[in-house]
Amino acid sequence: EESVDRIRNIARFFEITTHIENTLSIRKVYVLVEHLTLLMEAGDDPATVETDPDADCVQVLTVHKAKGLEFPVVFMVGLVGERFPRRERKETISVADELVKEVLPSGDFHLQEERRLFYVGMTRAADELFLTSAADYGGVRAKKVSPFVLEALDTPKAAPPIKSTPTETIERFAPPPGPHLKDEPLPEDAVLHLSYYQIDDYLTCPHKYMFVHVLKVPLLPHHTIMYGKAMHEAIKIYFRRKMENLPFTESELIDIFKASWRSEGFVSREHEQARWKAGREALRGFLERESEGGITPSVVERDFHVELGKNILVGRWDLIEEREDGPYIIDFKTSDVREKKKADRRTRESVQLRLYSLAFMECLKRLPAGVELHFVESGIVGSAAFKKKDMEKTVALVEQVSSGIRKRDFEPRPGYNDCNWCAFNNICPERAIRAARS
């Protein structure tokens, strides 16, 4: 359904652009953009394609959009005063009554229009109509039921709204009594999809896994993530162009880096400028190394989906290069590593590269000849070659993580110094207990 809607929206976009092209005298992109901007500023925002009333799904739309349609069941929501009917907004420049040729209606014209609109919404229902309202929408004052609801139900007066106390408001968001889904073990036949990030988070600390992947606690953007994403995007597009034997200049590489850059999560403006400068220098060094030979990729950004019993390992190979002794899985890192010995150790101990090698072996029935971590800023390359026994240990590692997740074992078990670097240490109860003990 989602794919179909996207295609319909693309088709709608072409309809709009074709209409504008036939209307405007100057057929330039910037004119099209200006025209669309003016339409949106005027209130005509061509968003998505019109709804399909025959689609087997919940239709969410405004009362205006519902005109002429009919549904078996209709829910009209938010039916409180100052929402339906809305407050009348006076025109910035009003038209004098003497200049209006039509016969103006007497009485409260705005209220009459809102009542007609309410009637339109009600009459969209063929079988059942639900009118809903609430006293508390988060404001200071309690909301009153819309007078239109009272008119429709022939109720002379609404009961006075009762404002929730702060305690009642908190209790309203409490989970229902009884066991929660996250506490119940998964069924034995349940299929579990696992990525490197899920496995790494669980190995770091099951409690961290719970925060990230079960409770889905959002995090503020961090500068290392912003920097890494921009660098990764520039390198990815470079190698895609290289696979197609297309030229690629330094300015183009920097332009992609700039387009992918997000000014979020940095400590200060000076900090952001320093990271930006370091990124440009790192990409220049990367391009120099590539011009001297570099990597000839056979695969760039390819997803994998590997069944390991009841577990499915999912992920993406960033880069694979075919060499004389076989294929090499390559990944790029922006962390600051400037010693070959340390780079090799990081590569050899990388859970990510072990999982990627396992996926390669399962898909192609052979191990890669080697794996490499390329540290972009220093140009240092870490190398390792895994054997079959390493893959057996990796399978056991996946099974260990899977077993814990299936049992819903999310007890805190952080490694040495992990709590200090954890993004959730300010809300983790285990961290608070440790701090109290110390």
Side-chain angles (χ1 to χ4, degrees):
E1 285 292 337
E2 184 179 350
S3 299
V4 172
D5 285 344
R6 287 178 177 177
I7 294 171
R8 291 173 67 214
N9 285 331
I10 293 171
R12 173 65 177 150
F13 174 73
F14 284 135
E15 289 175 4
I16 294 171
T17 52
T18 303
H19 173 72
I20 292 175
E21 185 183 42
N22 294 332
T23 304
L24 301 179
S25 57
I26 303 175
R27 298 179 179 181
K28 298 290 183 181
V29 173
Y30 75 90
V31 178
L32 168 65
V33 173
E34 289 178 356
H35 187 77
L36 288 174
T37 303
L38 287 171
L39 285 176
M40 288 187 285
E41 289 176 353
D44 182 13
D45 188 355
T48 56
V49 72
E50 295 295 328
T51 181
D52 180 6
D54 298 324
D56 185 18
C57 59
V58 176
Q59 306 278 357
V60 181
L61 62 165
T62 64
V63 179
H64 287 95
K65 287 285 185 180
K67 288 181 179 178
L69 303 177
E70 188 177 65
F71 304 93
V73 182
V74 169
F75 289 81
M76 293 181 67
V77 299
L79 302 181
V80 294
E82 298 186 1
R83 288 197 176 193
F84 211 147
R86 289 187 176 274
R87 285 184 177 181
E88 183 179 6
R89 295 181 179 179
K90 299 294 183 180
E91 296 290 340
T92 306
I93 302 176
S94 59
V95 179
D97 293 346
E98 293 78 7
L99 298 177
V100 179
K101 296 181 179 180
E102 294 84 1
V103 178
L104 296 174
S106 59
D108 191 334
F109 177 71
H110 170 73
L111 192 63
Q112 292 174 23
E113 282 298 311
E114 289 285 287
R115 185 180 284 109
R116 276 191 282 270
L117 194 60
F118 191 88
Y119 178 78
V120 168
M122 292 175 59
T123 52
R124 298 312 92 201
D127 302 322
E128 294 183 83
L129 171 66
F130 292 82
L131 307 177
T132 74
S133 67
D136 188 355
Y137 284 92
V140 177
R141 296 180 180 178
K143 299 294 184 181
K144 295 181 179 180
V145 177
S146 168
F148 295 158
V149 174
L150 305 181
E151 292 176 13
L153 301 179
D154 196 19
T155 303
K157 188 176 181 181
I162 301 174
K163 184 69 175 179
S164 303
T165 66
T167 304
E168 289 171 338
T169 302
I170 293 172
E171 288 175 350
R172 194 165 67 242
F173 292 100
H180 306 310
L181 183 62
K182 69 181 181 62
D183 297 327
E184 297 175 352
L186 289 179
E188 292 185 3
D189 58 346
V191 176
L192 187 61
H193 289 72
L194 292 172
S195 68
Y196 155 68
Y197 296 103
Q198 289 172 291
I199 293 171
D200 184 62
D201 285 339
Y202 193 88
L203 291 174
T204 302
C205 177
H207 216 52
K208 178 184 178 182
Y209 175 93
M210 183 188 73
F211 280 130
V212 178
H213 304 286
V214 180
L215 300 179
K216 301 187 185 302
V217 178
L219 287 173
L220 291 172
H222 196 272
H223 61 86
T224 57
I225 305 297
M226 299 297 106
Y227 179 81
K229 282 183 176 180
M231 190 72 75
H232 181 272
E233 187 67 16
I235 292 173
K236 176 187 73 175
I237 294 178
Y238 168 81
F239 280 116
R240 281 184 175 174
R241 295 278 292 272
K242 190 171 184 178
M243 280 187 68
E244 298 170 359
N245 293 319
L246 297 174
F248 204 77
T249 64
E250 180 183 304
S251 61
E252 287 178 303
L253 191 65
I254 301 300
D255 285 343
I256 295 170
F257 182 58
K258 183 178 181 180
S260 306
W261 186 268
R262 296 291 179 268
S263 298
E264 299 178 59
F266 294 93
V267 178
S268 63
R269 180 62 178 167
E270 292 74 18
H271 177 226
E272 181 183 359
Q273 289 174 343
R275 297 308 294 147
W276 166 257
K277 183 178 179 181
R280 287 189 304 175
E281 292 303 317
L283 287 175
R284 289 192 181 103
F286 162 80
L287 205 56
E288 288 177 8
R289 294 189 294 272
E290 282 297 310
S291 64
E292 296 171 359
I295 299 168
T296 304
S298 57
V299 169
V300 177
E301 293 273 316
R302 179 173 297 177
D303 294 334
F304 59 77
H305 185 276
V306 175
E307 294 185 14
L308 300 172
K310 295 177 183 177
N311 303 315
I312 295 180
L313 181 63
V314 295
R316 177 182 297 158
W317 295 302
D318 284 350
L319 205 69
I320 297 177
E321 182 183 29
E322 285 286 347
R323 301 177 186 171
E324 291 183 0
D325 56 340
Y328 279 72
I329 297 175
I330 300 171
D331 202 28
F332 291 86
K333 297 294 180 186
T334 54
S335 47
D336 189 18
V337 173
R338 300 188 176 277
E339 298 176 5
K340 171 67 173 171
K341 187 176 180 181
K342 184 178 180 181
D344 287 341
R345 186 178 72 252
R346 285 274 299 272
T347 307
R348 190 169 56 253
E349 296 174 354
S350 171
V351 175
Q352 183 178 18
L353 289 179
R354 287 173 180 264
L355 291 169
Y356 288 4
S357 297
L358 174 63
F360 189 93
M361 185 182 75
E362 292 292 326
C363 291
L364 299 172
K365 307 306 177 187
R366 59 170 177 157
L367 275 169
V371 294
E372 290 181 349
L373 284 181
H374 289 234
F375 296 91
V376 185
E377 290 195 358
S378 64
I380 299 292
V381 177
S383 306
F386 298 129
K387 298 181 180 179
K388 193 171 182 179
K389 64 179 182 179
D390 296 313
M391 297 300 96
E392 292 171 356
K393 292 179 181 178
T394 306
V395 171
L397 193 67
V398 174
E399 188 57 40
Q400 171 195 333
V401 171
S402 168
S403 176
I405 295 173
R406 289 175 183 278
K407 294 175 183 176
R408 292 314 201 217
D409 178 10
F410 302 132
E411 289 299 314
R413 288 190 294 273
Y416 176 74
N417 211 32
D418 284 337
C419 283
N420 294 333
W421 299 103
C422 181
F424 304 96
N425 57 20
N426 59 335
I427 62 172
C428 178
E430 180 67 17
R431 174 65 183 267
I433 292 170
R434 289 188 176 194
R437 287 173 181 170
S438 60

